[in-house]
Amino acid sequence: MSRNTKINILLLVVVAALAVLPLALGLGDHKEEPFTGADGEAETAITEIEPDYEPWFSPLYEPPSGEIESALFSLQAALGAGVLAYYFGLHRGRRQGAERALKRELEREREAESVSGGTAGKSPTEQD
């Protein structure tokens, strides 16, 4: 097994552990809504500290239900992942294309040297 394969497997195990351990250990069981987002947690903390706090801004669009809000969040995450995947794929493709072009150029130089008997790129006085 190659080093990259071992690293990839280790990363997958870590990601799976991060997803499963909070559920398995029962983190958040003491809360009414155990896994609320950071916005909800921040709002709760602020109202506990300063009950008369009034927000500076209000949302531009308030979804009518939690399901629609979750769907929009998932769509945003999918679009972000698509943009990142496109960028990394494009970057990798360009790098691989440059490597192939360099290999082809080296092969052409070797063929030219073998055809001319190793005198490619030498002046006529150097060939004698």
Side-chain angles (χ1 to χ4, degrees):
M1 191 178 316
S2 73
R3 184 171 185 257
N4 285 341
T5 304
K6 290 178 184 177
I7 291 172
N8 287 339
I9 290 172
L10 177 66
L11 288 173
L12 286 172
V13 168
V14 168
V15 168
L18 285 174
V20 172
L21 282 178
L23 298 172
L25 297 176
L27 300 178
D29 285 346
H30 62 282
K31 297 181 180 179
E32 191 174 308
E33 293 183 37
F35 297 107
T36 59
D39 294 343
E41 292 288 326
E43 184 179 346
T44 304
I46 290 170
T47 54
E48 286 177 4
I49 295 170
E50 185 67 42
D52 298 332
Y53 175 77
E54 198 167 311
W56 294 359
F57 301 100
S58 61
L60 296 175
Y61 171 70
E62 189 74 36
S65 69
E67 291 83 12
I68 293 175
E69 185 176 358
S70 294
L72 290 173
F73 182 76
S74 298
L75 178 64
Q76 177 185 359
L79 288 172
V83 168
L84 285 175
Y86 174 78
Y87 170 76
F88 287 121
L90 182 68
H91 181 69
R92 182 175 180 178
R94 285 183 178 171
R95 186 180 41 140
Q96 287 177 344
E99 288 173 0
R100 287 182 187 141
L102 182 61
K103 286 180 184 177
R104 277 190 236 121
E105 184 65 31
L106 289 173
E107 288 174 3
R108 286 184 192 137
E109 288 177 6
R110 287 185 194 139
E111 288 175 6
E113 285 178 3
S114 66
V115 167
S116 64
T119 58
K122 295 183 180 179
S123 66
T125 56
E126 292 175 338
Q127 291 177 9
D128 294 329

